[in-house]
Amino acid sequence: MIERLLKGFQRYYNIERNHDENVPLAARCDYFEHSQKYVISQKAELWSADCEEFLYILDFPHLTPELYREWLDVVRQDGMERANIGPGHMYSYITPVFVCDSCDAEARKALRRCRIYKSFHFSLHGWIDVHTVLIEVEAGRVTSNRGGHHAGKIMKKILGVSPK
């Protein structure tokens, strides 16, 4: 399942695999985009915007609420450190993707209710939003929080899961 995800992401993301088997983090996928508008020459810039996404693929045999909270915090802190906040920054998405064989109902419920959003300088220096996605392999189900709805739809297309 993880290999199918990474194959689907390799066209758009810079993928860094984790080879330490003691850690459930399988890979981190980074996406960077820079847009700008200028008049006549690049020195006369009207605006510029930097967008980035840090997608973490986490592999668990069984996801519990404790594991979910612990790794959500780890991923959020790492993503916040990687984000380039400042003038020209538009947004950063931090997206943990939990891939598991089975999952507790409480962990699924906590994932769906996750709402982490932070703006910088009243959004003049952009914002960070955390999108969460859960892939339950045995049930063939993809669940996401409200912010990660579009990420969940992309995962369903990559994995060939029919929408419910």
Side-chain angles (χ1 to χ4, degrees), residues 132-149:
T132 55
V133 179
L134 170 65
I135 300 172
E136 295 176 74
V137 178
E138 287 180 1
R141 179 177 14 199
V142 177
T143 309
S144 64
N145 67 346
R146 186 178 205 123
H149 180 71

Side-chain angles (χ1 to χ4, degrees), residues 108-125:
R108 188 181 313 107
K109 189 175 180 180
L111 182 133
R112 291 189 68 156
R113 290 186 174 175
C114 177
R115 287 199 176 117
I116 301 173
Y117 174 87
K118 182 171 175 65
S119 66
F120 304 95
H121 294 286
F122 304 104
S123 295
L124 292 173
H125 288 193

Side-chain angles (χ1 to χ4, degrees), residues 10-147:
Q10 72 184 2
R11 179 178 284 166
Y12 306 104
Y13 291 84
N14 298 328
I15 298 174
E16 184 177 317
R17 291 177 183 259
N18 182 20
H19 299 290
D20 184 5
E21 296 196 12
N22 297 327
V23 179
L25 178 67
R28 188 188 77 241
C29 309
D30 301 337
Y31 172 81
F32 301 99
E33 178 182 333
H34 176 78
S35 303
Q36 70 182 52
K37 192 69 163 181
Y38 55 89
V39 179
I40 300 174
S41 76
Q42 289 185 349
K43 292 180 183 176
E45 182 180 280
L46 295 174
W47 59 266
S48 70
D50 295 318
C51 308
E52 51 196 14
E53 180 177 5
F54 305 106
L55 190 136
Y56 299 81
I57 298 177
L58 301 154
D59 185 18
F60 294 98
H62 181 78
L63 186 64
T64 63
E66 295 79 21
L67 280 173
Y68 166 72
R69 284 188 210 95
E70 175 188 346
W71 281 96
L72 178 65
D73 287 340
V74 168
V75 165
R76 184 184 55 78
Q77 288 174 356
D78 187 64
M80 293 283 276
E81 291 172 6
R82 292 180 187 284
N84 299 306
I85 309 302
H89 175 258
M90 186 172 172
Y91 65 80
S92 294
Y93 293 148
I94 300 170
T95 308
V97 178
F98 295 89
V99 179
C100 62
D101 294 328
S102 61
C103 173
D104 287 348
E106 287 299 315
R108 188 181 313 107
K109 189 175 180 180
L111 182 133
R112 291 189 68 156
R113 290 186 174 175
C114 177
R115 287 199 176 117
I116 301 173
Y117 174 87
K118 182 171 175 65
S119 66
F120 304 95
H121 294 286
F122 304 104
S123 295
L124 292 173
H125 288 193
W127 66 89
I128 287 182
D129 196 10
V130 176
H131 302 163
T132 55
V133 179
L134 170 65
I135 300 172
E136 295 176 74
V137 178
E138 287 180 1
R141 179 177 14 199
V142 177
T143 309
S144 64
N145 67 346
R146 186 178 205 123

